[in-house]
Amino acid sequence: MSEVGPDEPTVEPTDERLVERAVGGDIEALEALVSRHRPWVYNVAVRMVYGPDDADDVTQEVLLKAVTGLAGFRGKSSFRTWLYRIACNHVLNMRRRPAEEQMVSFSRFASDLESSPDLDLPDPDTIPVDRGLLVEEAKLGCLTAMLLGLDRRQRLAYVLSELLGTPSAQAAELMELSAANHRQVLSRARRALHGFMDGTCGIVRTENRCRCAKKAAGFVAAGHIDPSDVRFARPGTETLESAAPADLEALESRIDHLHREQHRRTRLMEPADPAGALLGFLEDPVVRRTLRLDD
């Protein structure tokens, strides 16, 4: 959906223009807003709750809040900041999801990894995906799951700043923290997560016993990985490392970079069925009143 004049290049409408149109009942404008911002919301959500299905639900909840509140957007900040603040507030205060209930501490996660048997990878003729992809799925799934060892505020600070490359001042604003408090929360998240990786992860320290290639088959046997439905390592998707903006601040140390580098190599996740999500919005009576769809 673009705005063009005679012999003029195509120009994508601003968020604010799309909001104005959507509140006036323009369904295409609403669809453009949802499509533009849903991937960011989803990639925060999936790292807050781990499960893609739960992340879809959280994303839907956030966007529904935003869509039903469009009429209240006053432009005091950018629409992006307004929406992302709604997203951050929601993921900090939503009901706990199943994966959060199961992952109670880093020590519990370390124990679960230790109890998962070290097995040889299955015969390539017995699985529907390449064995390398299976190992990548084990690695990326594990990296995503370990974020649940952080409390929600620490987890969100780490996801925003370390994974998605959000500048510190903006991340603090989104989380409604002072700059000093945000730095403190982020520092605690780094210490806790990196400390766990130092003591457990064979990628970070070669003397650690845990190896993705040895755990992959055990994860399949335990039902943590479905070879026919690879969720975290889907081919063709960008990594956070390539998609997130360049660092605007120096890293505290080389070792911080080593830990963070592994997490930034996780994939940009794609939410399921965006068209279906939009149809769900349009059936909500509050949305219909907000956008005057029944006039």
Side-chain angles (χ1 to χ4, degrees):
M1 177 178 168
S2 305
E3 296 181 340
V4 294
D7 302 319
E8 293 180 1
T10 299
V11 177
E12 291 298 321
T14 64
D15 286 341
E16 288 68 25
R17 179 62 174 142
L18 290 175
V19 169
E20 181 183 343
R21 290 180 177 181
V23 171
D26 186 331
I27 300 303
E28 287 188 7
L30 175 64
E31 183 176 14
L33 274 176
V34 170
S35 298
R36 184 176 290 179
H37 295 287
R38 193 166 186 252
W40 187 94
V41 176
Y42 181 81
N43 274 278
V44 170
V46 77
R47 288 165 177 86
M48 294 297 292
V49 301
Y50 177 73
D53 290 341
D54 281 328
D56 271 325
D57 291 342
V58 172
T59 301
Q60 187 88 341
E61 291 162 7
V62 168
L63 293 176
L64 187 58
K65 280 185 176 180
V67 168
T68 55
L70 278 180
F73 173 64
R74 296 289 180 257
K76 294 180 180 179
S77 61
S78 70
F79 174 78
R80 183 185 298 267
T81 297
W82 179 81
L83 170 62
Y84 291 2
R85 191 180 291 125
I86 290 173
C88 290
N89 184 66
H90 183 82
V91 299
L92 287 173
N93 296 290
M94 65 189 175
R95 64 177 176 82
R96 288 176 65 82
R97 261 47 185 195
E100 292 182 287
E101 298 287 356
Q102 295 171 19
M103 175 68 157
V104 293
S105 67
F106 281 124
S107 59
R108 168 69 179 274
F109 191 41
S111 177
D112 288 346
L113 287 173
E114 182 66 26
S115 64
S116 180
D118 291 344
L119 302 174
D120 291 333
L121 290 168
D123 186 303
D125 293 333
T126 66
I127 53 176
V129 295
D130 180 81
R131 293 198 301 180
L133 191 64
L134 204 62
V135 173
E136 185 74 357
E137 178 78 353
K139 172 188 172 182
L140 300 187
C142 186
L143 286 167
T144 304
M146 70 175 64
L147 293 172
L148 297 177
L150 301 169
D151 68 38
R152 278 186 175 175
R153 196 167 294 277
Q154 292 172 353
R155 198 183 319 154
L156 182 58
Y158 194 85
V159 169
L160 291 177
S161 296
E162 298 290 77
L163 305 191
L164 298 179
T166 308
S168 291
Q170 184 181 359
E173 180 183 4
L174 294 178
M175 295 183 65
E176 299 182 334
L177 295 173
S178 68
N181 284 344
H182 175 263
R183 286 195 299 271
Q184 185 178 60
V185 171
L186 181 57
S187 178
R188 288 174 178 168
R190 284 175 178 152
R191 286 199 303 271
L193 183 62
H194 299 177
F196 168 76
M197 295 177 75
D198 278 341
T200 306
C201 182
I203 300 173
V204 172
R205 290 188 180 275
T206 56
E207 60 266 33
N208 290 331
R209 294 179 55 248
C210 193
R211 294 288 188 277
C212 304
K214 288 293 186 181
K215 295 298 182 184
F219 290 171
V220 171
H224 301 316
I225 292 178
D226 179 357
S228 65
D229 183 23
V230 172
R231 301 183 298 173
F232 295 99
R234 289 176 180 167
T237 54
E238 285 186 280
T239 63
L240 291 173
E241 189 175 41
S242 63
D247 298 330
L248 300 181
E249 300 176 356
L251 295 170
E252 291 185 354
S253 68
R254 172 61 191 167
I255 193 65
D256 272 341
H257 176 66
L258 178 63
H259 294 83
R260 191 192 71 159
E261 189 177 61
Q262 301 306 319
H263 284 274
R264 282 171 67 94
R265 287 176 180 169
T266 56
R267 301 282 184 177
L268 276 170
M269 304 282 287
E270 296 181 356
D273 190 20
L278 180 63
L279 291 176
F281 289 151
L282 298 183
E283 293 172 358
D284 187 280
V286 179
V287 172
R288 298 192 71 82
R289 287 198 301 274
T290 299
L291 304 182
R292 294 180 285 181
L293 299 181
D294 296 321
D295 290 352

